[in-house]
Amino acid sequence: MADSIDESKNVTVTEEDLENKSKGELIKLAGQLRDRRNELNQMASERASSRDDLNAKTREKVDEAQEHRENRDELNEQVQEHKDKRNELNAKANELFDKVDSLKNDLELDEGKSVDELKDEIEDLEFKQQTEVLSSEDEKELIEKIEEKREKLQEKTEKLDQTDDLEELKEEAEEVRSEASKHHQKVTELADEAQKHHNEMIEAYREADEIRDEADEKHEEFVEAQEAADQHHEDFVRVQKRLRELDKKEEKQERSAREEKQEAAKEEAEEIYQKFKEGETLDTEDLMKLQKAGKL
């Protein structure tokens, strides 16, 4: 809230004051106007100084906000770069994992029984062949089963021999995915840092607005004090002008009075001189008047 000046301390001058107040009263009034004008000018100067300080702080806050804005924008650019790299790597990883799945499907590694399961079954069947008494037909059927499982085991083993490429492809895909994760982590870190700068930028702008409002109020106070000081100065000049007019009037009156006095003295001296010429006796005062008038 603006700090208004105390108007009760202001000094006012009316045309009636200028016309009717005595010279002494006007001299006193001029002094009051001068003192109040100086006081108001000092007040205006202090308020202008406060306003300028606040404006300087406003600029500092705006500069601070701008610096945070630049940092935020720079970080957001880095975020976008890491996002692009992450997306590129994820796309590549997805492509590699698709190739892994495709190759696994081609090899049918996930279908049927595992190598260990097949080996166990073959051992069980061979043990049965060796330990049990079987009919020729049953033994023939058992041998056929053993051969069938051996063929499946050989086929499975041959396919597993082709899995080196699969493992390399899978390892490459996982490495690419890991690299993409690193870029994602960087995206998160940089985005958090950018958000901090954004929040600090908003706060700095908010503080700048508050300080600017204070500076505007202080400027209004400065204008109020300066206008009041200017008004007191104008009134001071009016009173001074009136005093000069009175001085001139007094001077004119005094000059006129002197001239009248001189004229009267001259006439009196002329009369005394005529008496002197006619032989009348003059006293000392008359002689001094003649001497002063340059008649002797």
Side-chain angles (χ1 to χ4, degrees), residues 11 44 66 88 103 106 154 165 212 221 225 241 246 281 294:
V11 183
Q66 186 61 32
E88 178 186 339
L103 186 55
D106 290 344
Q154 183 178 356
D165 292 342
R212 186 182 292 110
E221 294 173 12
K241 181 180 178 182
L246 291 176
T281 302

Side-chain angles (χ1 to χ4, degrees), residues 89-102:
L89 289 168
N90 275 331
K92 183 177 180 181
N94 290 337
E95 185 179 340
L96 290 170
F97 277 119
D98 287 343
K99 288 182 179 180
V100 169
D101 291 339
S102 177

